[in-house]
Amino acid sequence: MPPCFDDMDMQFLSDNAARVHPAVWRAIAAADAPDAPYDGDALSQRLDEAFSVLFNRPCVALWVASGTAANCLGLAALVPPHGGVICHRDAHIETSEGGAPSFFTHGAKLLLASGEGGKLTPESIGAAIAPIRDDVHRVQPHAVSITQATETGRVYTLAELAAIGAYARAAGLALHMDGARFANAVAFLGCTPAAASCAAGVDVLSFGFVKNGGMGAEALVHFDPARADQARRMRKRAGHLQSKGRFLAAQLLALLEGGLWLDNARAANAAAQAIAEGAGARLLEPVEGNQIFLRLAAPERAALRAQGFGFYDWGEEAARIVTAWDSREADCRALARAIAAL
Amino acid sequence: MPPCFDDMDMQFLSDNAARVHPAVWRAIAAADAPDAPYDGDALSQRLDEAFSVLFNRPCVALWVASGTAANCLGLAALVPPHGGVICHRDAHIETSEGGAPSFFTHGAKLLLASGEGGKLTPESIGAAIAPIRDDVHRVQPHAVSITQATETGRVYTLAELAAIGAYARAAGLALHMDGARFANAVAFLGCTPAAASCAAGVDVLSFGFVKNGGMGAEALVHFDPARADQARRMRKRAGHLQSKGRFLAAQLLALLEGGLWLDNARAANAAAQAIAEGAGARLLEPVEGNQIFLRLAAPERAALRAQGFGFYDWGEEAARIVTAWDSREADCRALARAIAAL
Amino acid sequence: MPPCFDDMDMQFLSDNAARVHPAVWRAIAAADAPDAPYDGDALSQRLDEAFSVLFNRPCVALWVASGTAANCLGLAALVPPHGGVICHRDAHIETSEGGAPSFFTHGAKLLLASGEGGKLTPESIGAAIAPIRDDVHRVQPHAVSITQATETGRVYTLAELAAIGAYARAAGLALHMDGARFANAVAFLGCTPAAASCAAGVDVLSFGFVKNGGMGAEALVHFDPARADQARRMRKRAGHLQSKGRFLAAQLLALLEGGLWLDNARAANAAAQAIAEGAGARLLEPVEGNQIFLRLAAPERAALRAQGFGFYDWGEEAARIVTAWDSREADCRALARAIAAL
Amino acid sequence: MPPCFDDMDMQFLSDNAARVHPAVWRAIAAADAPDAPYDGDALSQRLDEAFSVLFNRPCVALWVASGTAANCLGLAALVPPHGGVICHRDAHIETSEGGAPSFFTHGAKLLLASGEGGKLTPESIGAAIAPIRDDVHRVQPHAVSITQATETGRVYTLAELAAIGAYARAAGLALHMDGARFANAVAFLGCTPAAASCAAGVDVLSFGFVKNGGMGAEALVHFDPARADQARRMRKRAGHLQSKGRFLAAQLLALLEGGLWLDNARAANAAAQAIAEGAGARLLEPVEGNQIFLRLAAPERAALRAQGFGFYDWGEEAARIVTAWDSREADCRALARAIAAL
């Protein structure tokens, strides 16, 4: 049963539930003039350059309508059907994409690794690979996929990323980053977007915008421009080449403009910090992005909901609280107080 | 090289280039409030009923972002990977979807048939099936796919549809309709939407909205509600379950509201008729929807373009002109006069 | 590096290394006369009936050339591409088939369960299913696959099979049995082949013959005759419909004739028991079929090999010894003594 | 309904119905000793070298059990899932492999070309490519597949092969050869096997042995050794890595030994010529290999069958007669006389 939002202003259920940023609204309104269909329009044609500027190196950037599509198109470019992708056992691609990775890759296998805070390390990747004898009976690893920020709200440090990148390169593995909340990670790290991705060895980045003020456009960024042709064909083949692509391109460009994507992420992160202040020992994970995982018993969750706060359960004994660019400061403070008062 | 729209008001290149209808803009703006992600929001939850009312029978309706996705998800529900789908050799699924039908169906084969005006008939379907010996060495047909209106702007009459539906049922074949311009066909026929689809035996309909005033939402309509579960899982698996689905649902509902979809199609059809009046013997096909195919030599095309009219070449000796809900009457009349004056 | 068999008579490496039974040789020699190609020959046409008699119920039986093909064609008939198959984490389909399950099922997911001796139980299956929320984001289970005898040489009792069959039926899950060593299991249980398969709820059985005196033919047995058509088409589509199928059918019929398959399995099991007598506390698993897992340190393994015994390592501290229908009694006793003398 | 062979000595139905050569019997009998499973045995390990010697260049050669598997594994190495393969519209991969090309390639499309005698030419390939606009909406060609000898019994000359090879190379297309009857073609041409394949630009060859004295082994030959790893993994993933591979390797080596494959093909071709002598103006195609296509009315076909000759109808007004290495001279002469006497 979906949650009811009717009378609720103070929702922290999901950044997918957040509003579209006014600048994005203005951009899509401005895009509503005749232009070439698909990605032949002037806005779509600007994406490669806009992202190349952002990452300070040539890249190929495609709009797609969902994070699942971005992740799976990205993986499909890195792993053959008979290969495998190492990912955390809590990775979104493993737990929450309804088999899409297998669909897009024509059956490649997710090879699961473990690690605290949803993070992989060279050691945990190595431990996942070690038992895989190199013969035709075993599916061999071809790529690693990491999530930044992770599914449990953690952010890989630059050193951690560099270590994974170096390991992958040495092992001949490609590196994919699920960046549904890449903006939040960059905001937390205070680094350039390049430092948190391509400079660390990431080959393909799913760069999330929908949770960060967008409406229905994510960016699939290939740091190897040679993949442009294949990437565009695969998008079309998956039915993801929308005919009025100008509306997707407009969203991405609006969020890139003047660093709005980063401002929005900072706002969401700050909102999470404000809530975390009330959480104390209840915190299950350090709050590094816009997600908060709290130990909260069922009656406590009920009490908070009775006060008008919306969030999802996280197993039996915890809750997940997610902020967004539009989380109101007053709501966050109220929630922090409410938690502290439990 | 994409066409340049910079200084051109009188474009007839594609209904994909048309504007988003103001009512759709209002609807998506109204949808910009927190609600459950994916298709758990109140608007998405209303779709099944809204389409069931429209077609006067229980159906399952899903938003998807492209006609290719609608077509291919629809086909994948009707044909096993080892089967085949009979379609016209000019069908969009055969010529223009970049292999997507094969991707979504896991390799089912398109079995090509011929027919005037892009139309199939029981005879042409039968002729395509006849040489297929029923053994394991040959891919067997499991479904038929027709396009309404067709790729060359023709509209199946109700009698033609009924004949195909009866043939398919008798032959044990499922029936899919690519209705990217279904609205234009219904407007031309002056019948109910049900009469032009499910009543004639259509099992799955790709109901186009993007070319008809929408922004980025098509409807995939299953007339067998038992397929709901599978259809929803396949959409997710293909990365087509957008996280802010409320914005897609809003578009569909806005266009259904008060029959706006039909009004828009009527306007587009009327615009095409206005242009056709100037075309005389140049017409390659009767104008039944919003597409006009004209014999026009290269210098003639150049002459029209010099006057500010935009359209695509159609082979060496012809042009395709497409109107939309927002085609201006003055532009259409001007084009008719310009053609007549050639 | 493959093992060298040059000077070794006492090999216990694999039942795949065993000889072809003389009766099989006679049968294939007799099959070497012109007959219809593919499975149109007289021998192939007898398979359905021969297996229906063996299992005392109508079934569809197809020869295929490998256990992997039998398993994966079987699974593909039971699970849709968007679904999952619950299996033991040590199951051959998970560990040793090079991604074939994913290839044949078009991407269905193996959902891993645990259990002693390579066995699943209703409890372990339930534990694997429990966390899978029933929504489109999670791959849902559609089938269970069990191995009989298991990869660690254990045999499900009839009661254990019945419990799994009942659980699967109640949960709406189909049941596949990887019976690469089904003959050994039946020999151990002393029951009818039906009791150990269809009577317990198995829907599709991969019935192994290659390890049991055959040359290159396994049987894929569907207990639902309605699946015949689809099964035959899928075999062809996978390139597994050999053109001289009479040679595969001949092998299966020769091994069924007079219960030779069961005699061979009994001989292999007896050989394993003879070896196990010398193993004492070194046994890692009870010996129930033709596989023996022994705790053996590296120097001990080296000592046995120096005496001419061939077998594979099983991790760092153990060895796997496999007998076959042609294992010589003297060799087995010699090995038992050699182990006891370590 | 399969044909009945019971009382028929004079069969010309299919070379698939021919006998296994005595040298092959001897070789598989000799292979019946314990050796490493899969392709780790001594015989399988010799294949790469044996074929490299035959073709006088390094190649990778894998046994597979069917021509369909050889063709489709070969194609899958040359074309991505989103690509296309140009082939003749009568090619076996298009008409007779039950969708296997699509299965193995994950949905690549067969792009059909025409040509007399089942042959492609640079012109016909070019004509097939010409209408394919290079954009993401159209499936782009990546490879060409030709059949040598063709499905209608014709043999490409070396000049024809060279022209296709040069065209493919210039167009950036890989080249696959379906050589189910490659031996017959080489025998007809009187050239080296290399001249008829790799020297002309063939990248991957399906080299048929089953129709030419083998039992159940074809060779998949990659002329680019760098593809070895991928080729072996794909074979396993398709369930085609048989566990007693020594029996397949033995067949191939026996037929290579002393040029037996060529002797057998010459015998089959000579038998076809003997029959063709009686055919005169009835011949629909020049007889260049071991297949004869004859204009024969239904009563004529009945008359021949009444005399004990077995063959398949070829449409309504013709018959296909196929010889093999074991066709008896007396039978062939008798058939020639019987045809002449009609």
Side-chain angles (χ1 to χ4, degrees), chain D residues 100-153:
Chain D
S102 176
F103 180 53
F104 282 79
T105 63
H106 298 290
K109 189 170 187 168
L110 299 181
L111 305 167
L112 305 184
S114 299
E116 235 188 306
K119 292 185 187 177
L120 298 182
T121 61
E123 292 69 35
S124 65
I125 298 170
I129 293 176
I132 302 174
R133 207 165 62 212
D134 182 11
D135 62 29
V136 301
H137 305 275
R138 272 77 190 171
V139 173
Q140 304 297 314
H142 285 249
V144 173
S145 178
I146 56 177
T147 309
Q148 173 78 319
T150 75
E151 287 77 8
T152 43

Side-chain angles (χ1 to χ4, degrees), chain C residues 112-123:
Chain C
L112 305 184
S114 300
E116 236 187 306
K119 291 186 187 178
L120 298 183
T121 61
E123 291 69 34

Side-chain angles (χ1 to χ4, degrees), chain A residues 2 5 16-20 25 32 34-36 40 65-66 68 96 100 103-104 210 214 236-240 242-244 246, chain B residues 2 5 16-20 25 32 34-36 40 65-66 68 96 100 103-104 210 214 236-240 242-244 246:
Chain A
F5 287 82
N16 284 328
R19 290 178 185 78
V20 174
W25 278 113
D32 192 19
D35 201 343
S66 74
T68 292
S96 307
F103 180 53
F104 282 79
V210 172
K236 170 63 190 178
R237 189 172 187 245
H240 278 285
Q242 295 191 34
S243 58
K244 294 184 176 174
R246 56 195 178 273
Chain B
F5 286 84
N16 284 329
R19 290 177 185 77
V20 173
W25 278 113
D32 192 19
D35 202 342
S66 74
T68 292
S96 307
F103 180 52
F104 282 79
V210 171
K236 170 64 191 179
R237 190 173 187 245
H240 279 285
Q242 295 189 35
S243 58
K244 293 185 176 174
R246 55 194 179 273

Side-chain angles (χ1 to χ4, degrees), chain A residues 85-102:
Chain A
V85 176
I86 297 161
C87 69
H88 196 281
R89 63 185 63 253
D90 294 336
H92 199 262
I93 55 173
E94 161 67 10
T95 66
S96 307
E97 299 191 351
S102 177

Side-chain angles (χ1 to χ4, degrees), chain C residues 20 64-65 100 109 157 234 329:
Chain C
V20 174
V64 290
K109 188 170 187 169
T157 65
M234 288 169 57
E329 197 182 334

Side-chain angles (χ1 to χ4, degrees), chain A:
Chain A
M1 198 193 58
C4 173
F5 287 82
D6 284 357
D7 307 310
M8 193 179 58
D9 285 314
M10 300 181 292
Q11 77 84 15
F12 298 96
L13 280 145
S14 170
D15 30 16
N16 284 328
R19 290 178 185 78
V20 174
H21 193 277
V24 171
W25 278 113
R26 287 192 297 270
I28 58 175
D32 192 19
D35 201 343
Y38 303 108
D39 61 354
D41 61 280
L43 299 174
S44 297
Q45 296 285 314
R46 281 174 47 200
L47 290 184
D48 284 358
E49 198 195 333
F51 282 86
S52 296
V53 166
L54 182 69
F55 287 100
N56 197 29
R57 55 180 284 169
C59 53
V60 177
L62 284 73
W63 43 253
V64 291
S66 74
T68 292
N71 283 338
C72 296
L73 285 168
L75 291 176
L78 301 180
V79 60
H82 61 271
V85 176
I86 297 161
C87 69
H88 196 281
R89 63 185 63 253
D90 294 336
H92 199 262
I93 55 173
E94 161 67 10
T95 66
S96 307
E97 299 191 351
S102 177
F103 180 53
F104 282 79
T105 63
H106 299 290
K109 189 170 186 168
L110 299 181
L111 305 167
L112 306 183
S114 299
E116 236 188 305
K119 291 185 187 177
L120 298 183
T121 61
E123 292 68 34
S124 65
I125 298 170
I129 293 177
I132 303 175
R133 207 165 62 212
D134 183 9
D135 63 28
V136 300
H137 305 275
R138 272 78 190 169
V139 173
Q140 303 298 313
H142 284 249
V144 173
S145 178
I146 57 177
T147 309
Q148 172 79 316
T150 75
E151 287 77 7
T152 43
R154 303 293 304 280
V155 174
Y156 285 94
T157 66
L158 294 186
E160 288 169 338
L161 290 176
I164 291 174
Y167 179 93
R169 198 164 42 251
L173 303 171
L175 185 56
H176 167 258
M177 178 177 279
D178 175 352
R181 295 187 182 92
F182 180 69
N184 304 90
V186 172
F188 175 75
L189 293 170
C191 65
T192 66
S197 56
C198 49
V202 170
D203 295 294
V204 179
L205 169 67
S206 306
F207 189 160
F209 287 83
V210 172
K211 297 176 193 292
N212 195 30
M215 175 187 278
E218 308 281 65
L220 171 61
V221 184
H222 283 273
F223 294 113
D224 176 359
R227 289 219 189 82
D229 184 72
Q230 184 197 16
R232 292 187 200 284
R233 293 188 192 283
M234 287 168 58
R235 177 176 63 176
K236 170 63 190 178
R237 189 172 187 245
H240 278 285
L241 181 65
Q242 295 191 34
S243 58
K244 294 184 176 174
R246 56 195 178 273
F247 292 111
L248 288 91
Q251 297 175 51
L252 301 185
L253 292 170
L255 285 160
L256 289 190
E257 179 85 23
L260 178 57
W261 65 280
L262 195 52
D263 294 341
N264 281 356
R266 283 178 183 140
N269 287 7
Q273 291 298 336
I275 295 171
E277 282 173 19
R282 292 180 179 277
L283 284 180
L284 294 170
E285 298 276 355
V287 176
E288 300 176 344
N290 66 324
Q291 297 190 89
I292 306 162
F293 296 87
L294 287 180
R295 196 177 335 266
L296 281 176
E300 295 172 324
R301 299 195 299 268
L304 292 175
R305 285 173 177 139
Q307 299 172 58
F309 299 104
F311 51 84
Y312 282 113
D313 289 348
W314 197 256
E316 299 298 310
E317 298 298 331
R320 186 189 75 156
I321 289 166
V322 187
T323 58
W325 70 273
D326 63 346
S327 295
R328 290 181 299 196
E329 196 181 335
D331 294 349
C332 297
R333 296 195 186 286
L335 178 52
R337 282 193 304 270
I339 294 169
L342 283 173

